[in-house]
Every structure is written in C-alpha cells, then in structure tokens.
Amino acid sequence: MNFVTFEPVYEAILADFGFDRADDERVRDTAADLATPFPLGRLGDWADETVAVAGAAPCLADEVELARDADVVVAASTAADALADRGVAVDCMVTDLDKNPETAAELTRDGVPVAAHAHGDNLPAVREWLPRFADEWTLATTQAAPVGPLRNPGGFTDGDRAAFLADHLGAGELVFPGWEFDDPAVDPMKALKLDWAARLLRWLERRRDERFAVLDGRRADADAALREILGEAFARDAADQ
C-alpha cells in the first residue's frame, strides 16, 4: 500500500469523523522530529508466514491458540498484554499510545518492534512516549502522507493498521484472533471506528485475494462503502477477483 492509493480512503475517514488533516500532519511532523529511520528488515522475514493480527476484544481469551499457532504475532494495543498473560510472545505491537504505552516502551527496550502511531489527537502522548522508546525498535507511523522516518502502511485503527503492515511485509496468510465488530458496550465513536476497520480489512482482503473469516456477514456493507469511495478503482478491483 502506498499513500497515493490509500489517500482517497484516508480523505473519506477524515470526512466521516470530522477530523482535520492539518492536525494529523502537525502531530506527524512532531513524531518525525523525535523518531529515527526504521528499516523494515528489523521486523524479520514475514514472507509466506501465517501472521496472527491479534485484536484486544474479550474473545481473545478464547482464541489465543490461533495466535500461539501462528508463525508471527502482531498485537494491537492491549492485546499485547492479554497475550503475554497467556504465555504468547508478540513479534510486533501496533499502538497509537492511548492505553498501554508502558507496555510498548518496555517491548522496545526488550528488542521487540513497536509501530507507534501519530495522529491528530495524540500529540501529548507522542511527545511523552516516543522519547522513552528504544529508537532501534520503534517504527513511527502516520495516517497522513509519510515524511522523514515515518511510514504509512495503510490502515486506521491499531488492528487494521497491523493487518496492512503484515501485508506490506509479504505475509502469506492473515488470521484474526480477538476481533469483535459488534460490541454493544462501545460508544458511538468506537463503533464507527470498528465499522471502518471492517471496511479496511475488506479492502485488504480483496487486494490480497484472500478470505478473512472475521469478515463473514460484513462484506456487502463494506463493499457498498468502498464502492462509493473508490469508484472505478473498486470496479477494476472487483473485475480482478
């Protein structure tokens, strides 16, 4: 995924949430001043591997074996803690620093890569936590156009961003322990984020010509949203399937 391809979806996300692109760019620039270049080779060789993209939903406790059996484990946010509690080490953590930045900082100090995300409303966390991370093991990311050492592999929430990162690194198969799109306990903002996560995973599924079980029952709605955003590009994608 490159930013030119991702940009129409990014603009649709900004519009849907009422986010200001300039805010994303301001925090991105701050992160760029604090971060150092991160060669993706430090993440290891994920080519043709089964990669578990672990979400932090309560069902992760029942699906932990899916992560344990994978070749590579990428944890979104607090999924890293839940997996550690069950004896499953993670190979990478993806976080926007909003829940457990202490875990992320500790992982980098232990030589585990962390993709730390800068977006429009986490400037204080970026300023506080990026300097505490071990530079060698910190991949700084943005949802805006990448600058300096920052990368944009695609994605919006921690979970779907982890999936896009795995795809970028050539993962052979993606599996999704700990994902729940229909959680009645979440607030409207979180519910909308989950809707977008499903749409982005559907886009990735189509691009990979793969079927993610976690999307069963959600493809029609996601396709309708993607068709409206991507237009002819979506139609060409559909013709390739």
Side-chain angles (χ1 to χ4, degrees):
M1 178 66 66
N2 59 56
F3 184 70
V4 172
T5 303
F6 179 67
E7 190 170 18
V9 175
Y10 171 53
E11 290 177 340
I13 290 169
L14 293 175
D16 206 13
F17 285 89
F19 293 159
D20 188 338
R21 184 169 183 158
D23 290 339
D24 280 343
E25 292 170 347
R26 181 170 58 255
V27 183
R28 172 204 64 190
D29 293 345
T30 298
D33 289 339
L34 295 170
T36 59
F38 183 94
L40 291 181
R42 288 182 190 163
L43 287 165
D45 185 3
W46 298 3
D48 301 322
E49 301 282 75
T50 296
V51 178
V53 180
C59 62
L60 180 59
D62 299 321
E63 299 169 354
V64 68
E65 294 306 316
L66 198 59
R68 198 185 308 277
D69 292 342
D71 300 307
V72 177
V73 179
V74 187
S77 186
T78 56
D81 298 315
L83 289 170
D85 289 344
R86 292 162 175 81
V88 178
V90 303
D91 299 287
C92 179
M93 177 182 175
V94 176
T95 177
D96 68 355
L97 310 173
D98 69 337
K99 293 185 177 69
N100 58 341
E102 302 89 349
T103 296
E106 182 177 355
L107 285 173
T108 65
R109 292 193 292 268
D110 289 340
V112 178
V114 171
H117 192 64
H119 59 69
D121 63 358
N122 74 341
L123 179 59
V126 166
R127 284 176 170 163
E128 178 180 358
W129 285 101
L130 274 189
R132 301 190 191 187
F133 286 18
D135 288 343
E136 183 180 2
W137 297 106
T138 305
L139 166 61
T141 64
T142 176
Q143 58 204 32
V147 299
L150 270 69
R151 295 180 183 265
N152 182 346
F156 175 54
T157 72
D158 289 338
D160 58 81
R161 196 163 55 252
F164 274 82
L165 178 61
D167 174 73
H168 190 71
L169 290 166
E173 180 185 5
L174 302 182
V175 295
F176 294 88
W179 283 70
E180 176 56 67
F181 291 112
D182 298 311
D183 185 348
V186 301
D187 62 35
M189 173 70 81
K190 179 63 173 178
L192 184 56
K193 288 181 177 180
L194 290 171
D195 284 344
W196 272 103
R199 295 167 191 170
L200 288 165
L201 286 188
R202 174 57 175 155
W203 190 26
L204 185 63
E205 180 186 66
R206 293 171 63 90
R207 289 172 59 86
R208 289 175 57 86
D209 193 20
E210 190 174 351
R211 299 285 283 187
F212 304 152
V214 72
L215 290 178
D216 289 351
R218 308 192 67 90
R219 292 184 179 88
D221 288 345
D223 282 352
L226 291 168
R227 188 177 295 109
E228 183 174 348
I229 296 163
L230 296 171
E232 292 184 6
F234 182 89
R236 289 194 300 271
D237 186 31
D240 291 338
Q241 300 302 309

